[in-house]
Amino acid sequence: AKRIFHILELPAHPWAPSRPGHLMLDLCMDIRFHDVHFAYGDGERDALRGLSMHIPAGRRTAIIGPSGAGKTTVAYLLLRFLHPDSGLISVDGIELESLDPASWRAQVAWVPQNPYLFNASVEENIRLARPHAPREQVVAAAEMAHAHEFIQALPQGYDTPIGERGARLSGGEAQRLALARAFLKDAPFLVLDEATANLDPEVEVQVQRALARLMEGRTALLIAH
């Protein structure tokens, strides 16, 4: 409980726009890391040491490496869950830290290895991406993610409660709901962190097909082991 209260009482990371009035919709999503350093535990455990890389707009870029190599740290920095200790991340030449965090995250769809599902209905879990989306768009997103068939087979279809962390679903079904969220969000930048890990071969083929459709015409970062 003390740890939870400590987190709740932390101040928000300060944000001060360096270019007031910049429109997020103008971004082409050409992303660069410039000598980025990050360490966990007050600098005790290095995750990134001088990372420089380019994620070209409209292209697929992959980061591949063993566990502990810093791959997910890159995703967290892009999502602004973490902030570089030093170095710079830029989007179309604009410093990422200068963009409004909420507006930036609205432009990013993230599919993690272990997506979090809430104790709510299937539809409500998919609709997290766009809370006011109509049912037809939710269903269309599920169809694109190859999730519609198994959802229809559930006792109450899209209204079926799935339990905390999606306890009533298999790993592949939970992963396809996360993909449906990404389809519904329709964001220009995708971060796919081990999105097909721990799936059986048949489900992985379906998810890979869904991912291929999802990445068409978008900037995508794929993180894989």
Side-chain angles (χ1 to χ4, degrees):
K2 288 179 180 178
R3 291 177 61 197
I4 292 171
F5 282 115
H6 172 71
I7 292 170
L8 293 174
E9 290 166 1
L10 286 173
H13 189 78
W15 174 69
S18 60
R19 300 190 182 188
H22 177 77
L23 294 176
M24 295 293 299
L25 294 177
D26 291 343
L27 296 177
C28 296
M29 296 297 170
D30 192 78
I31 298 166
R32 293 179 185 269
F33 279 60
H34 309 267
D35 193 27
V36 172
H37 292 253
F38 182 83
Y40 292 97
D42 296 324
E44 297 174 0
R45 183 165 63 89
D46 286 334
L48 301 175
R49 295 191 293 268
L51 175 64
S52 295
M53 69 172 182
H54 181 207
I55 303 172
R59 300 278 298 278
R60 302 177 190 180
T61 301
I63 297 179
I64 301 171
S67 297
K71 306 184 302 297
T72 296
T73 300
V74 170
Y76 286 177
L77 287 167
L78 285 168
L79 291 159
R80 298 189 59 184
F81 297 161
L82 302 174
H83 306 274
D85 295 331
S86 63
L88 177 71
I89 303 172
S90 65
V91 183
D92 297 357
I94 302 166
E95 185 178 354
L96 179 59
E97 294 283 312
S98 73
L99 299 175
D100 172 53
S103 299
W104 164 248
R105 291 184 189 121
Q107 305 298 308
V108 184
W110 176 42
V111 182
Q113 180 178 349
N114 297 303
Y116 195 93
L117 300 175
F118 294 89
N119 188 16
S121 70
V122 169
E123 182 172 359
E124 288 171 310
N125 271 279
I126 295 175
R127 204 184 256 133
L128 281 174
R130 283 176 54 207
H132 303 295
R135 167 65 72 95
E136 313 86 77
Q137 292 182 7
V138 172
V139 172
E143 289 174 339
M144 288 187 284
H146 296 278
H148 180 66
E149 185 174 345
F150 87 77
I151 293 171
Q152 282 190 311
L154 294 173
Q156 297 167 257
Y158 283 84
D159 296 317
T160 304
I162 60 174
E164 191 68 30
R165 293 182 175 269
R168 298 177 184 174
L169 303 179
S170 70
E173 290 168 346
Q175 203 69 30
R176 280 177 281 175
L177 285 194
L179 283 170
R181 282 178 183 168
F183 274 111
L184 184 63
K185 190 167 187 179
D186 195 27
F189 180 38
L190 299 172
V191 178
L192 308 173
D193 189 354
E194 301 272 12
T196 61
N198 304 318
L199 300 182
D200 64 64
E202 183 179 351
V203 171
E204 184 173 0
V205 169
Q206 294 178 328
V207 171
Q208 289 285 11
R209 288 173 181 164
L211 286 174
R213 294 185 63 182
L214 183 59
M215 289 186 287
E216 288 178 5
R218 307 175 198 272
T219 304
L221 177 66
L222 293 85
I223 295 172
H225 195 279

